[in-house]
Amino acid sequence: MRTRERTVAPFDVGHRSTTICHLINICRELGRRLQWDPVKEEFVGDEAANALRRMSADEAANALRRMSGDEAANALRRMSGDEAANALRRMSGDEA
């Protein structure tokens, strides 16, 4: 990203790959199978699982509020695409 050269994998492949890792962690945390809607990017009919999915974005938004501009920019770079987008949405108050 720093050089603006083409990445090894397309953005959506990286996004989906990272999402799968987060989903597995949520399944393990809850100790059960879950149904995922990849279009809506949410669990089907499971508020507990969706709360865990949103928690990292809420925590990230709170942490970003406390950081300086450079620190926040670096933190956003380390997040997956959906985490960064959700954190920024929550920071702006847009709960889309």
Side-chain angles (χ1 to χ4, degrees):
M1 299 316 270
R2 290 183 186 150
T3 63
R4 304 287 183 216
E5 291 179 17
R6 185 176 213 137
T7 58
V8 174
F11 171 82
D12 59 329
V13 171
H15 170 72
R16 295 293 181 202
S17 299
T18 302
T19 298
I20 290 169
C21 295
H22 293 298
L23 299 179
I24 291 168
N25 287 332
I26 291 171
C27 288
R28 290 179 66 195
E29 180 74 23
L30 294 173
R32 63 177 187 263
R33 295 178 72 129
L34 300 167
Q35 184 178 355
W36 177 249
D37 182 337
V39 174
K40 292 182 179 178
E41 293 195 341
E42 64 184 29
F43 292 102
V44 178
D46 196 320
E47 271 309 306
N50 282 318
L52 286 174
R53 180 183 56 83
R54 288 187 298 266
M55 186 171 55
S56 65
D58 290 335
E59 291 172 350
N62 289 332
L64 288 170
R65 285 187 190 100
R66 294 188 299 268
M67 294 178 183
S68 71
D70 288 342
E71 290 173 324
N74 288 332
L76 284 169
R77 277 193 213 85
R78 289 190 300 271
M79 292 180 193
S80 70
D82 59 331
E83 289 172 328
N86 288 334
L88 291 172
R89 250 190 250 113
R90 281 174 173 71
M91 285 180 71
S92 69
D94 179 15
E95 295 290 327

